[in-house]
Amino acid sequence: LAVNQHMEEFYLLYKLTIVFQLIGLAIFMTVREPLPTKEGKDKEHEPDTTLRHFSGALKHLLSHKKLRHIFLLVLFTQPFSFVLIYLFQPYFVLAQVPAAWYGIAVFLASMLSIGAKLFAYKVEQWFGVDRGAFIAAALPGVCWLILSFVIHPVFSVAMYVITDAFGNMRDPIFADYTNRHIESKNRATTISIIYLVESLYMMIIRPFIGILADMDLRYACVLMGLIILTAAIGLRISED
């Protein structure tokens, strides 16, 4: 089957994605929170609306200085793992990686990512909270910058595997930091707001990454690396 890859089709898909996300947000705001337990049903109050949960969680996020700082760090040090899924194939073509290696590279990246998630807590044990958070945030940025220079079959595959692993290693570390500062009653809604903002951020930045990738994949790698490293340095945290 012929595949239509005209830019107009991609722009239409991009616009439709925004429309359906707004529709989903509108539906989300009208859902009422059910009483979670039998004991809760005996209490004399109506379940809070989602809008009330949302506004309370948003107020908590904006007013809590430490949580707000961690949120900004998590947001702007996104390792662009989802972008890596799409860029690694044209990158391998540029590096003249044999097609037979593609599946092996993905397998190795998946296995190393699982190990990175399982042992991520060791980073904090070895380096402490401050240095551990900085290392977890900065490593994917360093990897993206190295990717922009390494155009060789073996080393490009190795850097793809390592970049994917370091991008996944930071997730449990920052999830732990975030959860420490979220109130129990607003935990789920606050985390949902964080994911929502992260999704919006990725929707905004991806077209720019795509434009640079069309020009030269290495330019896109440099952009992502600089964004991550700048945020890791400028938003460095410390835990008292």
Side-chain angles (χ1 to χ4, degrees), residues 1-142:
L1 295 176
V3 179
N4 189 343
Q5 294 186 353
H6 295 304
M7 287 303 299
E8 291 77 7
E9 302 296 330
F10 288 103
Y11 287 140
L12 177 60
L13 180 61
Y14 185 71
K15 293 174 183 176
L16 289 175
T17 300
I18 296 175
V19 170
F20 283 108
Q21 287 196 346
L22 291 175
I23 292 174
L25 177 62
I27 295 174
F28 168 79
M29 299 295 286
T30 61
V31 175
R32 298 178 68 86
E33 182 75 15
L35 293 172
T37 63
K38 182 179 182 301
E39 291 77 8
K41 294 180 181 179
D42 298 330
K43 296 181 180 179
E44 296 181 355
H45 71 274
E46 291 294 325
D48 288 336
T49 63
T50 301
L51 180 59
R52 185 175 298 175
H53 275 283
F54 182 84
S55 60
L58 183 61
K59 181 179 179 181
H60 175 61
L61 179 61
L62 295 176
S63 62
H64 195 302
K65 183 178 179 180
K66 176 69 75 171
L67 177 59
R68 187 171 67 249
H69 190 162
I70 294 173
F71 163 67
L72 291 174
L73 176 65
V74 172
L75 177 65
F76 291 111
T77 59
Q78 280 288 330
F80 299 103
S81 297
F82 192 76
V83 176
L84 185 64
I85 294 173
Y86 293 101
L87 289 188
F88 90 90
Q89 295 188 44
Y91 182 81
F92 280 6
V93 172
L94 183 65
Q96 298 182 341
V97 176
W101 293 11
Y102 284 40
I104 297 173
V106 173
F107 171 77
L108 292 176
S110 299
M111 293 297 99
L112 192 58
S113 295
I114 292 172
K117 283 181 178 289
L118 290 175
F119 293 98
Y121 69 95
K122 290 288 187 179
V123 176
E124 183 176 330
Q125 289 183 359
W126 293 336
F127 301 100
V129 173
D130 185 8
R131 292 181 180 177
F134 175 75
I135 291 171
L139 278 178
V142 174

Side-chain angles (χ1 to χ4, degrees), residues 214-239:
D214 275 342
M215 297 169 59
D216 192 316
L217 277 173
R218 289 167 291 190
Y219 295 163
C221 292
V222 170
L223 173 64
M224 289 182 281
L226 290 178
I227 290 174
I228 294 171
L229 286 177
T230 301
I233 296 171
L235 296 169
R236 187 167 179 171
I237 65 172
S238 61
E239 190 74 11

Side-chain angles (χ1 to χ4, degrees), residues 123-191:
V123 176
E124 183 176 330
Q125 289 183 359
W126 293 336
F127 301 100
V129 173
D130 185 8
R131 292 181 180 177
F134 175 75
I135 291 171
L139 278 178
V142 174
C143 289
W144 277 113
L145 290 179
I146 295 175
L147 277 171
S148 68
F149 293 102
V150 177
I151 303 296
H152 180 280
V154 175
F155 293 115
S156 293
V157 170
M159 282 309 305
Y160 159 71
V161 172
I162 294 171
T163 302
D164 190 50
F166 283 149
N168 282 279
M169 181 186 72
R170 68 184 288 283
D171 293 340
I173 295 174
F174 285 131
D176 179 44
Y177 293 161
T178 302
N179 282 319
R180 293 180 193 179
H181 299 281
I182 299 177
E183 297 177 354
S184 297
K185 64 178 182 180
N186 288 327
R187 185 175 304 278
T189 309
T190 304
I191 293 175

